[in-house]
Amino acid sequence: MTPDLFDTHAHLHFPDFDPDREAMLARARESGVSRMLTIGTDVETSRASIALAAREADVWATVGIHPHDAAEADVAVLEEIERLAAEPRVVAIGEIGLDYFRNLSPREDQHRVFRALLGTARRVGKPVVIHCRDAHEDTLAILAEERVAEVRGIMHCFSGDVTIARRCLDLGLVISLAGPVTYPNARALPDVARFVPGDRLVVETDCPFLPPQGYRGKRNEPAYLSITTARVAELRGESFDEMGATMTATACALLGIP
């Protein structure tokens, strides 16, 4: 049985992959990754994600403004993201959210852009991909106030504990686990992997960032998704193939992908 895996968060259009993008995609497919979501972080990368998805039948795109780039997101930028959101290969708005770890944009700008793009998601009827780093309380409060349950979405690269995971689930969100769940010092993430219902869980690489154990310090890529999937399946006491298929079905249903 060939695995059926879905990398729900990758940056395949980033320059890190310019030297070997075709080979990288081939390795992903050979490893059982049948679908990939390439994530926009500003207008330029959102356009690039759409262009890549238009060329590759197993790649879909998102459009959004990362919290790091929120300060530069004026009305024209937000209008352009909403225009791009109507493109047929765009299946979600993201990544959007809050980042209090690096604070590269003022918090008031992060809040403004996050709320604006949650509004975009409601208007275009597409789910959201949420970035949250060291900002769980404010992120969850804004998601509740902006009625995220109406569009649903993915809490990307989940970094909280079981208590935070329960609150995300209550908002209608799906939890995505990335490479850190494979790290020996993963702390709360193994408990989260066991706690979240199987049909509310997905996996991602966040490549070229956050490679799984065994590849740390190197460039991450979708072919390594099987390592994260295997660890999640092991933590849950489930088979790799069944866990992969369940998580792929969850992602496809949320994103409206066949």
Side-chain angles (χ1 to χ4, degrees):
M1 180 176 173
T2 305
D4 181 17
L5 307 179
F6 193 148
D7 189 348
T8 62
H9 198 108
H11 300 282
L12 307 175
H13 51 287
F14 273 23
D16 308 66
F17 296 116
D18 286 352
D20 65 337
R21 186 168 285 105
E22 291 307 315
M24 173 270 291
L25 291 171
R27 287 191 294 272
R29 292 158 184 148
E30 287 162 13
S31 74
V33 178
S34 59
R35 298 168 187 83
M36 293 165 265
L37 188 59
T38 195
I39 305 290
T41 54
D42 57 19
V43 168
E44 182 184 0
T45 56
S46 293
R47 287 180 182 141
S49 71
I50 293 168
L52 181 60
R55 293 197 304 272
E56 305 290 342
D58 52 0
V59 176
W60 285 264
T62 74
V63 298
I65 304 292
H66 194 286
H68 291 344
D69 300 298
E72 286 77 50
D74 57 14
V75 171
V77 165
L78 294 171
E79 287 177 349
E80 178 63 6
I81 291 294
E82 185 148 345
R83 190 189 70 77
L84 293 170
E87 292 280 338
R89 297 296 290 177
V90 173
V91 294
I93 308 302
E95 65 191 275
I96 61 175
L98 304 177
D99 193 308
Y100 293 174
F101 178 73
R102 290 199 174 149
N103 279 311
L104 294 187
S105 285
R107 292 189 183 185
E108 55 267 30
D109 284 319
Q110 294 191 41
H111 289 206
R112 170 181 60 83
V113 171
F114 189 22
R115 288 182 187 277
L117 291 173
L118 286 165
T120 295
R122 288 199 308 272
R123 285 188 294 276
V124 301
K126 292 180 180 180
V128 287
V129 175
I130 301 150
H131 174 105
C132 174
R133 192 159 187 201
D134 291 359
H136 283 110
E137 288 305 321
D138 285 356
T139 299
L140 291 168
I142 290 172
L143 287 169
E145 288 164 18
E146 297 293 337
R147 312 193 307 277
V148 73
E150 293 178 13
V151 294
R152 303 183 63 222
I154 297 172
M155 188 61 82
H156 134 71
C157 193
F158 185 79
S159 59
D161 56 15
V162 165
T163 301
I164 298 293
R166 182 180 284 110
R167 292 172 63 188
C168 292
L169 294 172
D170 288 346
L171 288 169
L173 299 171
V174 168
I175 303 288
S176 181
L177 296 174
V181 75
T182 69
Y183 299 168
N185 64 344
R187 298 193 297 275
L189 290 177
D191 288 337
V192 171
R194 288 184 282 258
F195 165 76
V196 175
D199 62 353
R200 301 288 294 282
L201 197 60
V202 296
V203 282
E204 62 172 272
T205 58
D206 198 18
C207 66
F209 314 111
L210 292 177
Q213 191 67 20
Y215 291 91
R216 294 174 77 172
K218 302 186 171 121
R219 183 192 74 176
N220 198 9
E221 62 176 77
Y224 305 156
L225 188 66
S226 58
I227 299 167
T228 302
T229 303
R231 179 61 177 148
V232 171
E234 177 189 31
L235 288 165
R236 294 176 64 84
E238 299 182 29
S239 84
F240 174 93
D241 287 339
E242 287 182 6
M243 191 75 237
T246 298
M247 293 191 294
T248 294
T250 296
C252 288
L254 175 67
L255 298 167
I257 290 173

